[in-house]
Amino acid sequence: MANSTEAQKPQNTKKNKKKGATLDTFYGAKIQNTEQIEEDIQENAPKSSKGNGNSPQTHEEFESEMTKKMEAFWEEKWEIMQKKFTHLQNQFDQTVKENQALKQELIKQSQSTKKLEENIKYLTDKVIDLENRGRRDNLRIIGLPEKPEINTKLDMMIQDIIKENCPEILEQGGNTATDRAHRTPSTLNPQKTTPRNVIAKFQSYQTKEKILQEARKRQFRYKGMPIRVTQDLASSTLNDRKAWNMIFRKARELGLQPRISYPAKLTIYFQGKVWAFNKIEDFQLFAKKRPELCGKFDTENQRARNT
């Protein structure tokens, strides 16, 4: 019967009451929610005594005890937060140091790259200059007919050109012999209608220069057909000279006596002075400042054609 009576007793609702979920705070510290704290306070609060009315524990003692527990709890959590903060601060300082080191390394790499680029440019210019000097005895002949029977007799054709255009060189006993002559490029492109250029290497630099000077004065011909005779230069230098074509032609029309000097410098005669320009931009700026020349050189269209 006792057992039956005990079974009928209501269960302690406070003990079986479901505890509230926990809340995450700074850096993973766990704190009970408000509902659970209230339950603990109610369970531990001082009870009234039926006998003499005195509490086994006064409210002041209870509050003091709870305050100490809360202070201890928050001190523990504060220490955890401080450790976490210190750890993060150390990581941040380390990251800053690494970034500074990477920045310094990047600056060094940039300086090294710039120096390498300067060295490459210097070496490239040096190679081009050496190639041009190696071609100092050569002439480039443009417009000679592209025929098999002619290609086998290029040396004889060059002698015929000299006889037809500057016979005085032969009369003066100049050495017009050539070491070799060939077409360039070596392979014929069937899609091109213009003949390949002819490169002739003369045995005498002085003879080559005399022929070149005469070619600058007048139009050369081969059996009545117009041809051009120019200095043979490296392909990059020829491209640099080609960039001046439009300005050169216009300057000639204006009577400025243009010349292209080595390697690709334009010179003109203007207002009683000789002016030299290494870059198209320099000439463009010069022309804009002179009312007589302003607007007469469309260098932008020239650049578009070259690109």
Side-chain angles (χ1 to χ4, degrees):
M1 224 25 216
N3 293 334
S4 175
T5 303
E6 290 178 359
Q8 294 177 0
K9 288 182 180 179
Q11 295 181 352
N12 190 334
T13 56
K14 288 185 179 181
K15 290 183 179 180
N16 294 329
K17 186 176 182 180
K18 184 178 180 181
K19 294 184 178 181
T22 60
L23 298 175
D24 289 341
T25 60
F26 296 98
Y27 307 108
K30 302 291 183 179
I31 296 180
Q32 294 173 316
N33 63 13
T34 306
E35 183 180 354
Q36 181 61 38
I37 292 174
E38 290 178 353
E39 288 183 8
D40 292 343
I41 293 174
Q42 291 176 4
E43 289 179 357
N44 296 321
K47 306 297 188 299
S48 299
S49 175
K50 295 181 179 180
N52 51 19
N54 295 327
S55 297
Q57 185 180 30
T58 65
H59 283 284
E60 289 79 5
E61 293 173 344
F62 173 74
E63 290 178 356
S64 177
E65 182 180 349
M66 293 303 296
T67 300
K68 290 179 181 179
K69 288 183 179 180
M70 292 299 292
E71 288 177 352
F73 173 81
W74 285 113
E75 285 179 2
E76 179 184 356
K77 300 309 175 187
W78 179 248
E79 290 178 0
I80 294 174
M81 290 168 60
Q82 284 184 320
K83 290 179 180 178
K84 292 286 187 179
F85 179 78
T86 302
H87 177 69
L88 290 176
Q89 184 65 44
N90 292 337
Q91 285 184 330
F92 176 78
D93 293 341
Q94 182 64 26
T95 302
V96 171
K97 290 180 181 178
E98 291 176 356
N99 287 341
Q100 289 176 347
L102 288 174
K103 185 177 180 180
Q104 293 297 325
E105 184 64 24
L106 182 62
I107 292 174
K108 291 180 181 179
Q109 291 294 334
S110 178
Q111 292 173 346
S112 178
T113 301
K114 184 178 180 181
K115 190 169 184 178
L116 284 174
E117 290 175 350
E118 291 174 353
N119 289 340
I120 290 173
K121 185 180 183 306
Y122 170 78
L123 292 174
T124 301
D125 293 342
K126 192 71 174 176
V127 169
I128 293 173
D129 182 65
L130 289 173
E131 182 178 356
N132 285 330
R133 294 181 185 279
R135 296 169 180 257
R136 65 193 301 270
D137 297 333
N138 297 359
L139 284 179
R140 182 180 289 261
I141 305 171
I142 304 169
L144 282 177
E146 184 80 41
K147 296 179 181 179
E149 62 273 17
I150 294 178
N151 291 341
T152 58
K153 302 177 181 179
L154 291 177
D155 292 334
M156 296 176 59
M157 289 179 61
I158 293 169
Q159 297 302 318
D160 292 339
I161 291 171
I162 296 173
K163 291 177 184 179
E164 185 175 350
N165 296 277
C166 43
E168 63 275 8
I169 295 177
L170 295 174
E171 295 172 0
Q172 295 171 2
N175 180 13
T176 61
T178 57
D179 285 335
R180 58 182 178 274
H182 65 276
R183 294 275 185 180
T184 182
S186 58
T187 304
L188 177 64
N189 185 353
Q191 296 181 350
K192 280 195 171 184
T193 57
T194 57
R196 292 173 294 170
N197 295 348
V198 173
I199 306 297
K201 180 177 176 58
F202 285 81
Q203 293 181 357
S204 171
Y205 171 77
Q206 289 76 16
T207 299
K208 187 241 22 177
E209 281 295 305
K210 289 179 181 179
I211 297 172
L212 187 60
Q213 289 173 7
E214 294 299 322
R216 288 169 178 166
K217 295 176 183 178
R218 59 183 180 275
Q219 175 72 62
F220 268 34
R221 295 181 178 276
Y222 173 71
K223 294 183 178 180
M225 182 176 59
I227 59 173
R228 286 178 55 206
V229 177
T230 65
Q231 174 68 47
D232 179 39
L233 297 167
S235 58
S236 59
T237 305
L238 289 175
N239 290 333
D240 291 341
R241 289 190 167 203
K242 185 179 179 182
W244 289 106
N245 282 352
M246 186 278 297
I247 293 176
F248 186 91
R249 288 194 295 268
K250 190 63 179 179
R252 178 180 287 173
E253 292 175 6
L254 297 174
L256 300 178
Q257 303 176 24
R259 290 282 303 274
I260 300 293
S261 57
Y262 181 82
K265 181 190 299 183
L266 174 70
T267 60
I268 61 172
Y269 187 78
F270 179 71
Q271 293 182 347
K273 295 181 181 179
V274 176
W275 303 83
F277 307 93
N278 291 314
K279 297 180 180 179
I280 292 178
E281 293 79 6
D282 296 339
F283 178 83
Q284 184 181 22
L285 184 61
F286 174 85
K288 284 182 178 180
K289 294 181 178 179
R290 272 72 182 177
E292 301 89 343
L293 304 178
C294 185
K296 296 182 180 179
F297 295 91
D298 191 357
T299 55
E300 294 298 329
N301 289 339
Q302 173 65 18
R303 269 201 212 101
R305 285 194 293 270
N306 291 334
T307 58

